[in-house]
PDB file of all heavy atoms in Angstrom:
ATOM      1  N   VAL Z 165     166.601 172.172 -78.571  1.00 78.00           N
ATOM      2  CA  VAL Z 165     165.621 173.224 -78.813  1.00 78.00           C
ATOM      3  C   VAL Z 165     166.279 174.600 -78.843  1.00 78.00           C
ATOM      4  O   VAL Z 165     165.946 175.447 -79.657  1.00 78.00           O
ATOM      5  CB  VAL Z 165     164.509 173.150 -77.741  1.00 78.00           C
ATOM      6  CG1 VAL Z 165     163.577 174.334 -77.861  1.00 78.00           C
ATOM      7  CG2 VAL Z 165     163.727 171.882 -77.894  1.00 78.00           C
ATOM      8  N   LEU Z 166     167.270 174.827 -77.943  1.00 74.00           N
ATOM      9  CA  LEU Z 166     167.806 176.169 -77.757  1.00 74.00           C
ATOM     10  C   LEU Z 166     169.049 176.459 -78.582  1.00 74.00           C
ATOM     11  O   LEU Z 166     169.628 177.520 -78.440  1.00 74.00           O
ATOM     12  CB  LEU Z 166     168.144 176.394 -76.280  1.00 74.00           C
ATOM     13  CG  LEU Z 166     167.006 176.362 -75.280  1.00 74.00           C
ATOM     14  CD1 LEU Z 166     167.531 176.551 -73.895  1.00 74.00           C
ATOM     15  CD2 LEU Z 166     166.022 177.451 -75.594  1.00 74.00           C
ATOM     16  N   ARG Z 167     169.512 175.518 -79.410  1.00 66.00           N
ATOM     17  CA  ARG Z 167     170.792 175.765 -80.089  1.00 66.00           C
ATOM     18  C   ARG Z 167     170.659 176.922 -81.076  1.00 66.00           C
ATOM     19  O   ARG Z 167     169.594 177.173 -81.634  1.00 66.00           O
ATOM     20  CB  ARG Z 167     171.254 174.506 -80.800  1.00 66.00           C
ATOM     21  CG  ARG Z 167     170.433 174.227 -82.022  1.00 66.00           C
ATOM     22  CD  ARG Z 167     170.841 172.977 -82.715  1.00 66.00           C
ATOM     23  NE  ARG Z 167     169.752 172.608 -83.611  1.00 66.00           N
ATOM     24  CZ  ARG Z 167     169.665 171.436 -84.184  1.00 66.00           C
ATOM     25  NH1 ARG Z 167     170.553 170.520 -83.938  1.00 66.00           N
ATOM     26  NH2 ARG Z 167     168.673 171.174 -84.988  1.00 66.00           N
ATOM     27  N   ALA Z 168     171.785 177.603 -81.302  1.00 59.00           N
ATOM     28  CA  ALA Z 168     171.742 178.805 -82.126  1.00 59.00           C
ATOM     29  C   ALA Z 168     171.723 178.464 -83.608  1.00 59.00           C
ATOM     30  O   ALA Z 168     171.027 179.100 -84.390  1.00 59.00           O
ATOM     31  CB  ALA Z 168     172.943 179.679 -81.808  1.00 59.00           C
ATOM     32  N   LYS Z 169     172.523 177.443 -83.999  1.00 60.00           N
ATOM     33  CA  LYS Z 169     172.629 177.132 -85.423  1.00 60.00           C
ATOM     34  C   LYS Z 169     171.741 175.938 -85.750  1.00 60.00           C
ATOM     35  O   LYS Z 169     171.909 174.853 -85.205  1.00 60.00           O
ATOM     36  CB  LYS Z 169     174.082 176.786 -85.771  1.00 60.00           C
ATOM     37  CG  LYS Z 169     174.974 178.003 -85.792  1.00 60.00           C
ATOM     38  CD  LYS Z 169     176.405 177.590 -86.031  1.00 60.00           C
ATOM     39  CE  LYS Z 169     177.335 178.767 -85.749  1.00 60.00           C
ATOM     40  NZ  LYS Z 169     178.680 178.319 -85.392  1.00 60.00           N
ATOM     41  N   GLY Z 170     170.788 176.127 -86.675  1.00 59.00           N
ATOM     42  CA  GLY Z 170     169.969 175.027 -87.103  1.00 59.00           C
ATOM     43  C   GLY Z 170     170.628 174.281 -88.239  1.00 59.00           C
ATOM     44  O   GLY Z 170     171.615 174.747 -88.824  1.00 59.00           O
ATOM     45  N   LYS Z 171     170.104 173.074 -88.546  1.00 58.00           N
ATOM     46  CA  LYS Z 171     170.696 172.331 -89.658  1.00 58.00           C
ATOM     47  C   LYS Z 171     170.176 172.849 -90.998  1.00 58.00           C
ATOM     48  O   LYS Z 171     170.832 172.760 -92.013  1.00 58.00           O
ATOM     49  CB  LYS Z 171     170.390 170.840 -89.516  1.00 58.00           C
ATOM     50  CG  LYS Z 171     171.284 170.187 -88.483  1.00 58.00           C
ATOM     51  CD  LYS Z 171     171.148 168.687 -88.465  1.00 58.00           C
ATOM     52  CE  LYS Z 171     172.165 168.106 -87.502  1.00 58.00           C
ATOM     53  NZ  LYS Z 171     171.942 166.677 -87.269  1.00 58.00           N
ATOM     54  N   LYS Z 172     168.915 173.395 -90.981  1.00 61.00           N
ATOM     55  CA  LYS Z 172     168.384 173.976 -92.206  1.00 61.00           C
ATOM     56  C   LYS Z 172     168.870 175.410 -92.354  1.00 61.00           C
ATOM     57  O   LYS Z 172     169.200 176.071 -91.380  1.00 61.00           O
ATOM     58  CB  LYS Z 172     166.847 173.970 -92.153  1.00 61.00           C
ATOM     59  CG  LYS Z 172     166.237 172.669 -92.607  1.00 61.00           C
ATOM     60  CD  LYS Z 172     164.762 172.640 -92.332  1.00 61.00           C
ATOM     61  CE  LYS Z 172     164.013 173.726 -93.088  1.00 61.00           C
ATOM     62  NZ  LYS Z 172     162.577 173.691 -92.789  1.00 61.00           N
ATOM     63  N   ARG Z 173     168.888 175.904 -93.583  1.00 63.00           N
ATOM     64  CA  ARG Z 173     169.219 177.308 -93.802  1.00 63.00           C
ATOM     65  C   ARG Z 173     168.032 178.166 -93.386  1.00 63.00           C
ATOM     66  O   ARG Z 173     166.875 177.805 -93.545  1.00 63.00           O
ATOM     67  CB  ARG Z 173     169.511 177.542 -95.278  1.00 63.00           C
ATOM     68  CG  ARG Z 173     170.935 177.221 -95.670  1.00 63.00           C
ATOM     69  CD  ARG Z 173     171.148 177.510 -97.151  1.00 63.00           C
ATOM     70  NE  ARG Z 173     170.815 178.889 -97.494  1.00 63.00           N
ATOM     71  CZ  ARG Z 173     171.660 179.915 -97.341  1.00 63.00           C
ATOM     72  NH1 ARG Z 173     172.858 179.703 -96.855  1.00 63.00           N
ATOM     73  NH2 ARG Z 173     171.311 181.132 -97.674  1.00 63.00           N
ATOM     74  N   LYS Z 174     168.327 179.344 -92.820  1.00 62.00           N
ATOM     75  CA  LYS Z 174     167.254 180.249 -92.404  1.00 62.00           C
ATOM     76  C   LYS Z 174     166.688 180.965 -93.628  1.00 62.00           C
ATOM     77  O   LYS Z 174     167.441 181.425 -94.488  1.00 62.00           O
ATOM     78  CB  LYS Z 174     167.798 181.283 -91.424  1.00 62.00           C
ATOM     79  CG  LYS Z 174     168.139 180.703 -90.088  1.00 62.00           C
ATOM     80  CD  LYS Z 174     168.891 181.716 -89.274  1.00 62.00           C
ATOM     81  CE  LYS Z 174     169.733 181.043 -88.213  1.00 62.00           C
ATOM     82  NZ  LYS Z 174     170.930 181.803 -87.900  1.00 62.00           N
ATOM     83  N   GLU Z 175     165.362 181.019 -93.688  1.00 65.00           N
ATOM     84  CA  GLU Z 175     164.721 181.686 -94.812  1.00 65.00           C
ATOM     85  C   GLU Z 175     163.699 182.690 -94.297  1.00 65.00           C
ATOM     86  O   GLU Z 175     163.371 182.712 -93.106  1.00 65.00           O
ATOM     87  CB  GLU Z 175     164.028 180.650 -95.721  1.00 65.00           C
ATOM     88  CG  GLU Z 175     165.027 179.853 -96.553  1.00 65.00           C
ATOM     89  CD  GLU Z 175     164.384 178.646 -97.195  1.00 65.00           C
ATOM     90  OE1 GLU Z 175     163.155 178.523 -97.120  1.00 65.00           O
ATOM     91  OE2 GLU Z 175     165.131 177.829 -97.747  1.00 65.00           O
ATOM     92  N   GLU Z 176     163.169 183.478 -95.197  1.00 65.00           N
ATOM     93  CA  GLU Z 176     162.238 184.545 -94.819  1.00 65.00           C
ATOM     94  C   GLU Z 176     160.966 183.958 -94.210  1.00 65.00           C
ATOM     95  O   GLU Z 176     160.462 184.447 -93.210  1.00 65.00           O
ATOM     96  CB  GLU Z 176     161.906 185.384 -96.061  1.00 65.00           C
ATOM     97  CG  GLU Z 176     160.966 186.547 -95.819  1.00 65.00           C
ATOM     98  CD  GLU Z 176     161.590 187.623 -94.963  1.00 65.00           C
ATOM     99  OE1 GLU Z 176     162.842 187.658 -94.880  1.00 65.00           O
ATOM    100  OE2 GLU Z 176     160.847 188.411 -94.383  1.00 65.00           O
ATOM    101  N   SER Z 177     160.489 182.827 -94.766  1.00 67.00           N
ATOM    102  CA  SER Z 177     159.240 182.241 -94.282  1.00 67.00           C
ATOM    103  C   SER Z 177     159.405 181.733 -92.855  1.00 67.00           C
ATOM    104  O   SER Z 177     158.462 181.772 -92.059  1.00 67.00           O
ATOM    105  CB  SER Z 177     158.814 181.104 -95.209  1.00 67.00           C
ATOM    106  OG  SER Z 177     159.822 180.116 -95.231  1.00 67.00           O
ATOM    107  N   ASP Z 178     160.629 181.248 -92.474  1.00 67.00           N
ATOM    108  CA  ASP Z 178     160.871 180.787 -91.106  1.00 67.00           C
ATOM    109  C   ASP Z 178     160.695 181.926 -90.116  1.00 67.00           C
ATOM    110  O   ASP Z 178     160.087 181.778 -89.057  1.00 67.00           O
ATOM    111  CB  ASP Z 178     162.296 180.227 -90.977  1.00 67.00           C
ATOM    112  CG  ASP Z 178     162.467 178.975 -91.804  1.00 67.00           C
ATOM    113  OD1 ASP Z 178     161.429 178.332 -92.078  1.00 67.00           O
ATOM    114  OD2 ASP Z 178     163.606 178.649 -92.152  1.00 67.00           O
ATOM    115  N   ARG Z 179     161.247 183.083 -90.473  1.00 66.00           N
ATOM    116  CA  ARG Z 179     161.181 184.229 -89.574  1.00 66.00           C
ATOM    117  C   ARG Z 179     159.727 184.629 -89.316  1.00 66.00           C
ATOM    118  O   ARG Z 179     159.335 184.944 -88.193  1.00 66.00           O
ATOM    119  CB  ARG Z 179     161.955 185.388 -90.176  1.00 66.00           C
ATOM    120  CG  ARG Z 179     162.235 186.519 -89.198  1.00 66.00           C
ATOM    121  CD  ARG Z 179     163.014 187.600 -89.869  1.00 66.00           C
ATOM    122  NE  ARG Z 179     162.261 188.218 -90.949  1.00 66.00           N
ATOM    123  CZ  ARG Z 179     161.288 189.100 -90.759  1.00 66.00           C
ATOM    124  NH1 ARG Z 179     160.997 189.462 -89.541  1.00 66.00           N
ATOM    125  NH2 ARG Z 179     160.626 189.604 -91.761  1.00 66.00           N
ATOM    126  N   VAL Z 180     158.918 184.574 -90.355  1.00 67.00           N
ATOM    127  CA  VAL Z 180     157.513 184.929 -90.201  1.00 67.00           C
ATOM    128  C   VAL Z 180     156.798 183.859 -89.377  1.00 67.00           C
ATOM    129  O   VAL Z 180     155.985 184.160 -88.502  1.00 67.00           O
ATOM    130  CB  VAL Z 180     156.858 185.087 -91.591  1.00 67.00           C
ATOM    131  CG1 VAL Z 180     155.378 185.378 -91.435  1.00 67.00           C
ATOM    132  CG2 VAL Z 180     157.554 186.182 -92.359  1.00 67.00           C
ATOM    133  N   LYS Z 181     157.153 182.578 -89.615  1.00 66.00           N
ATOM    134  CA  LYS Z 181     156.469 181.480 -88.943  1.00 66.00           C
ATOM    135  C   LYS Z 181     156.726 181.505 -87.444  1.00 66.00           C
ATOM    136  O   LYS Z 181     155.834 181.304 -86.636  1.00 66.00           O
ATOM    137  CB  LYS Z 181     156.959 180.155 -89.542  1.00 66.00           C
ATOM    138  CG  LYS Z 181     155.869 179.108 -89.675  1.00 66.00           C
ATOM    139  CD  LYS Z 181     156.426 177.831 -90.229  1.00 66.00           C
ATOM    140  CE  LYS Z 181     156.703 177.911 -91.712  1.00 66.00           C
ATOM    141  NZ  LYS Z 181     157.397 176.721 -92.221  1.00 66.00           N
ATOM    142  N   VAL Z 182     158.006 181.735 -87.042  1.00 67.00           N
ATOM    143  CA  VAL Z 182     158.356 181.743 -85.623  1.00 67.00           C
ATOM    144  C   VAL Z 182     157.845 183.005 -84.954  1.00 67.00           C
ATOM    145  O   VAL Z 182     157.598 183.036 -83.753  1.00 67.00           O
ATOM    146  CB  VAL Z 182     159.893 181.587 -85.470  1.00 67.00           C
ATOM    147  CG1 VAL Z 182     160.311 181.605 -84.031  1.00 67.00           C
ATOM    148  CG2 VAL Z 182     160.328 180.295 -86.111  1.00 67.00           C
ATOM    149  N   GLY Z 183     157.659 184.083 -85.736  1.00 67.00           N
ATOM    150  CA  GLY Z 183     157.132 185.301 -85.156  1.00 67.00           C
ATOM    151  C   GLY Z 183     158.193 186.233 -84.626  1.00 67.00           C
ATOM    152  O   GLY Z 183     157.977 186.948 -83.658  1.00 67.00           O
ATOM    153  N   ILE Z 184     159.386 186.217 -85.239  1.00 66.00           N
ATOM    154  CA  ILE Z 184     160.447 187.126 -84.809  1.00 66.00           C
ATOM    155  C   ILE Z 184     160.243 188.457 -85.517  1.00 66.00           C
ATOM    156  O   ILE Z 184     160.125 188.503 -86.755  1.00 66.00           O
ATOM    157  CB  ILE Z 184     161.826 186.529 -85.139  1.00 66.00           C
ATOM    158  CG1 ILE Z 184     162.027 185.274 -84.309  1.00 66.00           C
ATOM    159  CG2 ILE Z 184     162.931 187.525 -84.853  1.00 66.00           C
ATOM    160  CD1 ILE Z 184     163.205 184.468 -84.745  1.00 66.00           C
ATOM    161  N   PRO Z 185     160.186 189.566 -84.761  1.00 64.00           N
ATOM    162  CA  PRO Z 185     159.866 190.852 -85.379  1.00 64.00           C
ATOM    163  C   PRO Z 185     161.050 191.428 -86.154  1.00 64.00           C
ATOM    164  O   PRO Z 185     162.177 190.964 -86.034  1.00 64.00           O
ATOM    165  CB  PRO Z 185     159.519 191.732 -84.179  1.00 64.00           C
ATOM    166  CG  PRO Z 185     160.282 191.133 -83.065  1.00 64.00           C
ATOM    167  CD  PRO Z 185     160.349 189.668 -83.315  1.00 64.00           C
ATOM    168  N   ASP Z 186     160.765 192.463 -86.953  1.00 64.00           N
ATOM    169  CA  ASP Z 186     161.829 193.179 -87.651  1.00 64.00           C
ATOM    170  C   ASP Z 186     162.658 193.966 -86.648  1.00 64.00           C
ATOM    171  O   ASP Z 186     162.290 194.138 -85.493  1.00 64.00           O
ATOM    172  CB  ASP Z 186     161.216 194.147 -88.674  1.00 64.00           C
ATOM    173  CG  ASP Z 186     160.653 193.396 -89.859  1.00 64.00           C
ATOM    174  OD1 ASP Z 186     161.196 192.308 -90.144  1.00 64.00           O
ATOM    175  OD2 ASP Z 186     159.687 193.876 -90.462  1.00 64.00           O
ATOM    176  N   LYS Z 187     163.812 194.449 -87.129  1.00 61.00           N
ATOM    177  CA  LYS Z 187     164.708 195.161 -86.231  1.00 61.00           C
ATOM    178  C   LYS Z 187     164.095 196.465 -85.730  1.00 61.00           C
ATOM    179  O   LYS Z 187     164.318 196.884 -84.599  1.00 61.00           O
ATOM    180  CB  LYS Z 187     166.020 195.464 -86.956  1.00 61.00           C
ATOM    181  CG  LYS Z 187     167.128 195.872 -86.019  1.00 61.00           C
ATOM    182  CD  LYS Z 187     168.425 195.984 -86.750  1.00 61.00           C
ATOM    183  CE  LYS Z 187     169.559 196.229 -85.762  1.00 61.00           C
ATOM    184  NZ  LYS Z 187     170.862 196.293 -86.414  1.00 61.00           N
ATOM    185  N   GLU Z 188     163.222 197.098 -86.561  1.00 62.00           N
ATOM    186  CA  GLU Z 188     162.629 198.351 -86.141  1.00 62.00           C
ATOM    187  C   GLU Z 188     161.613 198.139 -85.030  1.00 62.00           C
ATOM    188  O   GLU Z 188     161.393 199.005 -84.181  1.00 62.00           O
ATOM    189  CB  GLU Z 188     161.944 199.053 -87.330  1.00 62.00           C
ATOM    190  CG  GLU Z 188     162.896 199.547 -88.415  1.00 62.00           C
ATOM    191  CD  GLU Z 188     163.343 198.454 -89.362  1.00 62.00           C
ATOM    192  OE1 GLU Z 188     162.501 197.609 -89.715  1.00 62.00           O
ATOM    193  OE2 GLU Z 188     164.531 198.413 -89.718  1.00 62.00           O
ATOM    194  N   ASP Z 189     160.960 196.943 -85.032  1.00 62.00           N
ATOM    195  CA  ASP Z 189     159.925 196.688 -84.039  1.00 62.00           C
ATOM    196  C   ASP Z 189     160.493 196.299 -82.691  1.00 62.00           C
ATOM    197  O   ASP Z 189     159.812 196.413 -81.678  1.00 62.00           O
ATOM    198  CB  ASP Z 189     158.997 195.563 -84.536  1.00 62.00           C
ATOM    199  CG  ASP Z 189     158.304 195.964 -85.823  1.00 62.00           C
ATOM    200  OD1 ASP Z 189     158.275 197.178 -86.075  1.00 62.00           O
ATOM    201  OD2 ASP Z 189     157.809 195.088 -86.538  1.00 62.00           O
ATOM    202  N   LEU Z 190     161.741 195.823 -82.650  1.00 61.00           N
ATOM    203  CA  LEU Z 190     162.324 195.366 -81.380  1.00 61.00           C
ATOM    204  C   LEU Z 190     162.586 196.556 -80.469  1.00 61.00           C
ATOM    205  O   LEU Z 190     162.913 197.634 -80.935  1.00 61.00           O
ATOM    206  CB  LEU Z 190     163.656 194.660 -81.642  1.00 61.00           C
ATOM    207  CG  LEU Z 190     163.590 193.190 -82.007  1.00 61.00           C
ATOM    208  CD1 LEU Z 190     164.993 192.675 -82.234  1.00 61.00           C
ATOM    209  CD2 LEU Z 190     162.942 192.393 -80.903  1.00 61.00           C
ATOM    210  N   PRO Z 191     162.448 196.374 -79.134  1.00 60.00           N
ATOM    211  CA  PRO Z 191     162.840 197.443 -78.216  1.00 60.00           C
ATOM    212  C   PRO Z 191     164.333 197.693 -78.286  1.00 60.00           C
ATOM    213  O   PRO Z 191     165.121 196.768 -78.472  1.00 60.00           O
ATOM    214  CB  PRO Z 191     162.426 196.895 -76.844  1.00 60.00           C
ATOM    215  CG  PRO Z 191     162.284 195.434 -77.041  1.00 60.00           C
ATOM    216  CD  PRO Z 191     161.858 195.234 -78.447  1.00 60.00           C
ATOM    217  N   LYS Z 192     164.730 198.961 -78.167  1.00 59.00           N
ATOM    218  CA  LYS Z 192     166.130 199.328 -78.387  1.00 59.00           C
ATOM    219  C   LYS Z 192     167.049 198.697 -77.353  1.00 59.00           C
ATOM    220  O   LYS Z 192     168.166 198.307 -77.658  1.00 59.00           O
ATOM    221  CB  LYS Z 192     166.263 200.852 -78.319  1.00 59.00           C
ATOM    222  CG  LYS Z 192     166.060 201.495 -79.680  1.00 59.00           C
ATOM    223  CD  LYS Z 192     166.831 202.784 -79.794  1.00 59.00           C
ATOM    224  CE  LYS Z 192     166.636 203.431 -81.158  1.00 59.00           C
ATOM    225  NZ  LYS Z 192     165.989 204.722 -81.074  1.00 59.00           N
TER     226      LYS Z 192
END
Side-chain angles (χ1 to χ4, degrees):
Chain Z
V165 173
L166 297 178
R167 73 182 163 193
K169 286 176 192 155
K171 282 188 175 171
K172 275 171 62 181
R173 276 181 56 84
K174 289 170 204 150
E175 286 167 8
E176 181 67 20
S177 60
D178 294 337
R179 194 179 64 77
V180 177
K181 218 182 285 173
V182 179
I184 295 168
D186 287 331
K187 195 173 187 178
E188 293 80 40
D189 298 341
L190 275 180
K192 271 209 180 117

